[in-house]
Coordinates of all heavy atoms in Angstrom, one line a residue:
Chain A
A126 N -2.5 32.8 -4.7 CA -2.5 31.4 -5.3 C -2.8 31.6 -6.8 O -2.1 30.8 -7.6 CB -3.7 30.6 -4.6
I127 N -3.6 32.5 -7.2 CA -3.9 32.6 -8.6 C -2.7 33.2 -9.3 O -2.2 32.6 -10.3 CB -5.1 33.6 -8.8 CG1 -6.4 33.0 -8.3 CG2 -5.3 34.0 -10.3 CD1 -7.6 33.9 -8.2
E128 N -2.0 34.2 -8.7 CA -0.9 34.8 -9.3 C 0.3 33.8 -9.5 O 1.0 33.8 -10.5 CB -0.4 36.0 -8.5 CG 0.7 36.8 -9.2 CD 1.2 37.9 -8.2 OE1 0.5 38.3 -7.3 OE2 2.3 38.3 -8.5
H129 N 0.5 33.0 -8.5 CA 1.6 32.0 -8.5 C 1.2 30.6 -9.0 O 2.0 29.7 -8.9 CB 2.3 31.9 -7.1 CG 3.0 33.2 -6.7 ND1 4.3 33.4 -7.0 CD2 2.5 34.3 -6.1 CE1 4.6 34.6 -6.6 NE2 3.6 35.1 -6.0
E130 N 0.0 30.6 -9.6 CA -0.5 29.3 -10.2 C -0.5 28.1 -9.3 O 0.0 27.0 -9.7 CB 0.3 29.1 -11.5 CG 0.2 30.2 -12.5 CD 1.2 30.2 -13.7 OE1 2.2 29.4 -13.6 OE2 1.0 30.9 -14.6
L131 N -0.9 28.3 -8.1 CA -0.9 27.3 -7.1 C -2.3 27.0 -6.6 O -3.2 27.9 -6.6 CB -0.1 27.7 -5.9 CG 1.4 27.8 -6.1 CD1 2.1 28.4 -4.8 CD2 2.1 26.4 -6.4
P132 N -2.6 25.7 -6.2 CA -3.8 25.4 -5.5 C -3.8 26.0 -4.1 O -2.8 26.5 -3.7 CB -3.8 23.9 -5.5 CG -2.6 23.4 -6.1 CD -1.7 24.5 -6.4
A133 N -4.9 25.9 -3.5 CA -5.0 26.5 -2.1 C -5.6 25.5 -1.1 O -6.5 24.7 -1.5 CB -5.9 27.7 -2.1
L134 N -5.0 25.4 0.1 CA -5.4 24.6 1.1 C -6.1 25.4 2.2 O -5.5 26.3 2.8 CB -4.2 23.8 1.8 CG -4.4 23.1 3.1 CD1 -5.5 22.0 3.0 CD2 -3.1 22.5 3.5
V135 N -7.4 25.2 2.4 CA -8.2 26.1 3.2 C -8.7 25.3 4.5 O -9.3 24.3 4.4 CB -9.5 26.6 2.5 CG1 -10.3 27.5 3.4 CG2 -9.0 27.4 1.2
H136 N -8.3 25.9 5.6 CA -8.7 25.4 6.9 C -10.1 25.9 7.3 O -10.4 27.0 7.0 CB -7.6 25.9 7.9 CG -8.0 25.9 9.3 ND1 -7.5 24.9 10.2 CD2 -8.7 26.8 10.1 CE1 -7.9 25.2 11.4 NE2 -8.6 26.3 11.4
T137 N -10.9 25.0 7.9 CA -12.2 25.5 8.4 C -12.1 25.6 9.9 O -11.4 24.8 10.6 CB -13.4 24.6 7.9 OG1 -13.1 23.2 8.2 CG2 -13.6 24.8 6.5
P138 N -12.9 26.5 10.5 CA -12.8 26.8 11.9 C -13.3 25.7 12.8 O -14.2 24.9 12.4 CB -13.6 28.1 12.1 CG -14.5 28.2 10.9 CD -13.8 27.5 9.8
H139 N -12.8 25.7 14.0 CA -13.3 24.7 15.0 C -14.6 25.2 15.6 O -15.5 24.4 15.8 CB -12.3 24.6 16.2 CG -10.9 24.2 15.7 ND1 -10.4 22.9 15.7 CD2 -9.9 25.0 15.3 CE1 -9.2 22.9 15.3 NE2 -8.8 24.1 15.0
R140 N -14.7 26.5 15.8 CA -15.9 27.1 16.4 C -16.8 27.6 15.3 O -16.3 28.2 14.3 CB -15.5 28.2 17.4 CG -14.6 27.7 18.5 CD -14.1 28.9 19.3 NE -13.4 29.9 18.5 CZ -12.1 29.9 18.1 NH1 -11.4 28.8 18.5 NH2 -11.6 30.8 17.4
D141 N -18.1 27.4 15.4 CA -19.0 28.0 14.4 C -18.7 27.4 13.0 O -18.6 28.1 12.0 CB -19.0 29.5 14.4 CG -20.3 30.1 13.9 OD1 -21.2 29.4 13.6 OD2 -20.3 31.3 13.7
K142 N -18.4 26.1 13.0 CA -17.8 25.5 11.8 C -18.7 25.5 10.6 O -18.3 25.8 9.5 CB -17.5 24.0 12.1 CG -16.6 23.4 11.0 CD -16.3 21.9 11.4 CE -15.0 21.4 10.8 NZ -13.8 22.0 11.2
A143 N -20.0 25.2 10.8 CA -20.9 25.2 9.6 C -21.0 26.5 8.9 O -20.8 26.6 7.7 CB -22.3 24.7 10.0
R144 N -21.2 27.6 9.7 CA -21.3 28.9 9.1 C -19.9 29.4 8.5 O -19.8 30.0 7.5 CB -21.8 29.9 10.1 CG -23.3 29.8 10.2 CD -23.9 31.0 10.9 NE -23.4 31.1 12.3 CZ -23.7 32.2 13.0 NH1 -24.4 33.2 12.6 NH2 -23.2 32.3 14.3
G145 N -18.9 28.9 9.2 CA -17.5 29.3 8.7 C -17.2 28.6 7.4 O -16.6 29.2 6.5
T146 N -17.7 27.4 7.2 CA -17.5 26.7 6.0 C -18.3 27.3 4.8 O -17.9 27.5 3.7 CB -17.9 25.2 6.1 OG1 -17.2 24.6 7.2 CG2 -17.6 24.4 4.9
E147 N -19.6 27.7 5.2 CA -20.4 28.4 4.2 C -19.7 29.7 3.7 O -19.7 30.0 2.5 CB -21.8 28.8 4.8 CG -22.8 27.8 4.8 CD -24.0 28.2 5.6 OE1 -24.4 29.4 5.6 OE2 -24.6 27.3 6.3
R148 N -19.2 30.5 4.7 CA -18.5 31.7 4.3 C -17.3 31.4 3.5 O -17.0 32.2 2.6 CB -18.2 32.5 5.6 CG -17.7 33.9 5.4 CD -18.0 34.7 6.7 NE -17.0 35.8 6.9 CZ -17.0 36.5 8.0 NH1 -17.8 36.3 8.9 NH2 -16.1 37.5 8.1
T149 N -16.6 30.4 3.9 CA -15.4 30.0 3.1 C -15.7 29.7 1.6 O -15.0 30.2 0.7 CB -14.8 28.7 3.7 OG1 -14.4 29.0 5.1 CG2 -13.6 28.2 2.9
I150 N -16.8 29.0 1.4 CA -17.2 28.6 0.0 C -17.5 29.9 -0.7 O -17.1 30.1 -1.9 CB -18.4 27.7 0.1 CG1 -17.9 26.3 0.6 CG2 -19.0 27.5 -1.3 CD1 -19.1 25.4 1.0
K151 N -18.1 30.9 -0.1 CA -18.5 32.2 -0.7 C -17.2 32.9 -1.1 O -17.1 33.5 -2.2 CB -19.3 33.0 0.3 CG -20.3 33.9 -0.4 CD -21.3 34.4 0.6 CE -21.5 35.9 0.4 NZ -21.2 36.7 1.6
V152 N -16.3 33.0 -0.1 CA -15.0 33.8 -0.4 C -14.2 33.1 -1.5 O -13.7 33.8 -2.4 CB -14.2 33.9 0.9 CG1 -12.8 34.5 0.6 CG2 -14.9 34.7 1.9
V153 N -14.2 31.8 -1.6 CA -13.5 31.1 -2.6 C -14.1 31.5 -4.0 O -13.4 31.8 -5.0 CB -13.5 29.6 -2.4 CG1 -13.1 28.8 -3.7 CG2 -12.6 29.2 -1.2
A154 N -15.5 31.4 -4.0 CA -16.2 31.8 -5.3 C -15.9 33.2 -5.7 O -15.6 33.5 -6.9 CB -17.7 31.6 -5.1
E155 N -15.9 34.1 -4.7 CA -15.6 35.5 -5.1 C -14.2 35.8 -5.6 O -13.9 36.7 -6.3 CB -15.9 36.4 -3.8 CG -17.3 36.7 -3.6 CD -17.6 37.2 -2.2 OE1 -16.6 37.5 -1.5 OE2 -18.8 37.4 -1.8

Side-chain angles (χ1 to χ4, degrees):
Chain A
I127 294 170
E128 188 186 336
H129 291 271
E130 299 166 349
L131 290 173
L134 167 60
V135 181
H136 161 99
T137 49
H139 304 266
R140 304 173 300 278
D141 206 4
K142 193 180 207 62
R144 283 196 295 173
T146 306
E147 277 170 36
R148 188 155 152 188
T149 295
I150 293 168
K151 207 165 137 239
V152 172
V153 166
E155 282 167 3

